[in-house]
Structures are given as structure tokens and as C-alpha cells.
Amino acid sequence: MNTTSLTAGSAPQGQATELRAQARQLHERLARRVGLALLAWSRRQDERRSHDAVHLRRRTAELATRAHDEQYRLVTLGAPLA
């Protein structure tokens, strides 16, 4: 009896099963990495938006103060200051 012919069919099957398991693990690792990268990107975007929002609020407050001061001068002095 030839034993190589009996085991030859099971070796490729075992390799295929192992390759599928490795491929699944690879997909899981990639999915985790992509998920973490998306979370990091999202957090950076939130931080950037927060920074921009703070800057915009400061700029708006500064412009409002200038407009208020100019209106006060107009009412008080009756003429704009150059």
C-alpha cells in the first residue's frame, strides 16, 4: 500500500485551512488598525475644530468689541475717529 497517496490529499486541505485562518487573522488585524486610524483621525479633526472654534470666538469677540467701541465714539463724540 502506498501511504503517500493516502496522506497527500489531507496535506493540501490542512494547508488551505491554515491559510484561511491566517487570512482571517490578517483581515482582523487590518480592520483593527483601520478602526484605530479612523478614531485617531476623528480625534484630530475634533481637536482642530475645537481650536478653530476657539480662534473664531476670540476673533468674533474682538470684532464685536471694536464695533461697540466705534459706536460708543460715534454716539459720544458725534464723529468717527480716524
Side-chain angles (χ1 to χ4, degrees), residues 67-81:
H68 178 266
D69 292 348
E70 183 62 27
Q71 288 298 317
Y72 182 78
R73 284 187 201 111
L74 282 171
V75 170
T76 305
L77 303 174
L81 293 175

Side-chain angles (χ1 to χ4, degrees), residues 30-75:
L30 287 174
R32 271 189 240 118
R33 284 186 177 193
V34 168
L36 291 173
L38 285 172
L39 283 173
W41 176 82
S42 177
R43 287 180 184 140
R44 284 192 307 271
Q45 292 294 19
D46 287 344
E47 288 171 2
R48 196 177 91 197
R49 281 188 207 112
S50 297
H51 176 72
D52 290 346
V54 168
H55 179 69
L56 181 61
R57 278 193 299 270
R58 287 181 185 164
R59 182 73 179 139
T60 303
E62 182 182 308
L63 291 173
T65 301
R66 285 184 189 174
H68 178 266
D69 292 348
E70 183 62 27
Q71 288 298 317
Y72 182 78
R73 284 187 201 111
L74 282 171
V75 170

